[in-house]
Amino acid sequence: MIHSHLSSFTGLPVLPFTPGMTLPDDPSAVAWRLEVEDFDADPEEFAALVAALRAEVPADAVRALVIGEWGSAYERALPVDLLVEAAEEWTSLRAVFLADLVGEQCEISWLTQGDITPLLAAYPSLEVLWVRGGNELRLDPVRHTGLRELVFQTGGLPGSVAAAVGGCDLPALERLELWLGRQDYGGDTTRAELADVLAGTRLPALRHLAVCNAEFADRIAEAVAAAPVVRQLEVLDLSKGILTDVGAEALLAGQPLTHLRRLDLHHSFLSESARERVVAALPGVEVDLSDPQTAEVYNGREYRFTAVGE
């Protein structure tokens, strides 16, 4: 569960927008947060908020947007079309977060997204796109030459989205995060659907790859151990999932990882001896093994969970 809102986004402090507010001296030096107060607000209320931002904040000052509650986020898709309609005005927009809601507002796996492809098409200069929530999330393969950072935070990432990311042509992308999640929350991504991402053919600039929060983390580790994209990475993140000694041994038996600057395996289910072997095998690599997990036992059966689920 995610418990706190962003205080900054892409290096800019997050400032909630309120119609009629006094603007800061430099309205381009903030990430504007758009959020209605009531979780069950009518769609017209969020539409009016977007319209007010367009009317009151100079268009060239809208550099970053953080979307919060848009009204019934648990059942109604975020109205991306409202952002698309503003594209001709917001030519300076470089970063978007869809959507910064926390568990107290709406559980991550209840968050209803939709088709985000039109957003990428409308903003060819967009550099950063974060998406939280995988329920009904859709993406078609696109070519986008501006995007440098793409993040999907989910308790269950649809395999179709993972495959679409692999099918995208993203020559400038430096950072990619895929939070795969659990099957019972829609996380049905398979190794086959990750194949294009792990090949890296359409991701020549990628330096930071997270394939994390995975229920079947050992299988992911086995695939990563032989993945061509790893050779170009500086940071590899397999954290927050159900990684066990089996997956760790697969990593160590695969291609060399000593070129990495950082290997993130925090929130994993590795034994102490496995953690020691990983560290010993990767001198000079920053290995994050914090927040070690152990299986929970109920009625003689062991249970392991990803860091982020429902």
Side-chain angles (χ1 to χ4, degrees), residues 175-221:
R175 181 187 184 112
L176 174 63
E177 290 189 22
L178 303 174
W179 296 24
L180 301 188
R182 293 164 49 184
Q183 281 187 308
D184 49 358
Y185 294 119
D188 58 2
T189 299
T190 65
R191 284 177 54 169
E193 287 161 324
L194 290 170
D196 285 340
V197 167
L198 297 181
T201 306
R202 301 182 185 90
L203 302 169
L206 195 67
R207 297 296 179 265
H208 181 130
L209 175 63
V211 187
C212 60
N213 198 50
E215 186 171 26
F216 302 111
D218 288 344
R219 298 181 197 172
I220 300 301

Side-chain angles (χ1 to χ4, degrees), residues 278-302:
V278 171
V279 171
L282 300 173
V285 178
E286 177 190 348
V287 182
D288 187 350
L289 293 165
S290 61
D291 192 23
Q293 301 290 305
T294 56
E296 300 177 18
V297 180
Y298 296 101
N299 297 323
R301 183 177 177 182
E302 293 186 346

Side-chain angles (χ1 to χ4, degrees), residues 64-277:
L65 289 176
V66 175
I67 308 300
E69 175 64 69
W70 57 89
S72 300
Y74 58 91
E75 64 178 5
R76 183 187 301 132
L78 193 156
V80 170
D81 59 306
L82 295 176
L83 307 185
V84 172
E85 290 170 4
E88 291 187 4
E89 302 167 22
W90 290 343
T91 56
S92 297
L93 185 62
R94 295 294 181 269
V96 176
F97 185 10
L98 315 170
D100 185 24
L101 274 75
V102 297
E104 291 78 7
Q105 294 175 291
C106 184
E107 299 289 359
I108 191 170
S109 292
W110 298 4
L111 269 173
T112 302
Q113 292 287 351
D115 189 356
I116 62 170
T117 314
L119 185 70
L120 291 171
Y123 291 93
S125 296
L126 194 68
E127 296 177 357
V128 177
L129 177 60
W130 289 17
V131 180
R132 178 174 293 167
N135 188 31
E136 298 186 19
L137 179 64
R138 298 188 303 279
L139 173 67
D140 294 327
V142 297
R143 174 174 170 80
H144 195 292
T145 60
L147 206 61
R148 298 179 181 275
E149 186 170 323
L150 180 60
V151 174
F152 289 97
Q153 301 177 349
T154 79
L157 184 69
S160 59
V161 174
V165 171
C168 288
D169 186 5
L170 304 172
L173 196 71
E174 300 172 359
R175 181 187 184 112
L176 174 63
E177 290 189 22
L178 303 174
W179 296 24
L180 301 188
R182 293 164 49 184
Q183 281 187 308
D184 49 358
Y185 294 119
D188 58 2
T189 299
T190 65
R191 284 177 54 169
E193 287 161 324
L194 290 170
D196 285 340
V197 167
L198 297 181
T201 306
R202 301 182 185 90
L203 302 169
L206 195 67
R207 297 296 179 265
H208 181 130
L209 175 63
V211 187
C212 60
N213 198 50
E215 186 171 26
F216 302 111
D218 288 344
R219 298 181 197 172
I220 300 301
E222 292 170 359
V224 166
V229 74
V230 171
R231 293 192 290 269
Q232 68 192 57
L233 299 180
E234 296 176 359
V235 178
L236 175 61
D237 182 351
L238 303 178
S239 68
K240 296 188 282 293
I242 307 177
L243 184 71
T244 72
D245 289 12
V246 172
E249 293 300 336
L251 277 179
L252 296 181
Q255 63 187 303
L257 299 175
T258 51
H259 67 287
L260 293 175
R261 177 172 56 82
R262 187 168 189 265
L263 175 63
D264 191 345
L265 302 179
H266 85 269
H267 183 99
S268 61
F269 291 79
L270 304 185
S271 65
E272 184 176 353
S273 61
R275 294 197 296 271
E276 292 173 351
R277 286 196 298 276

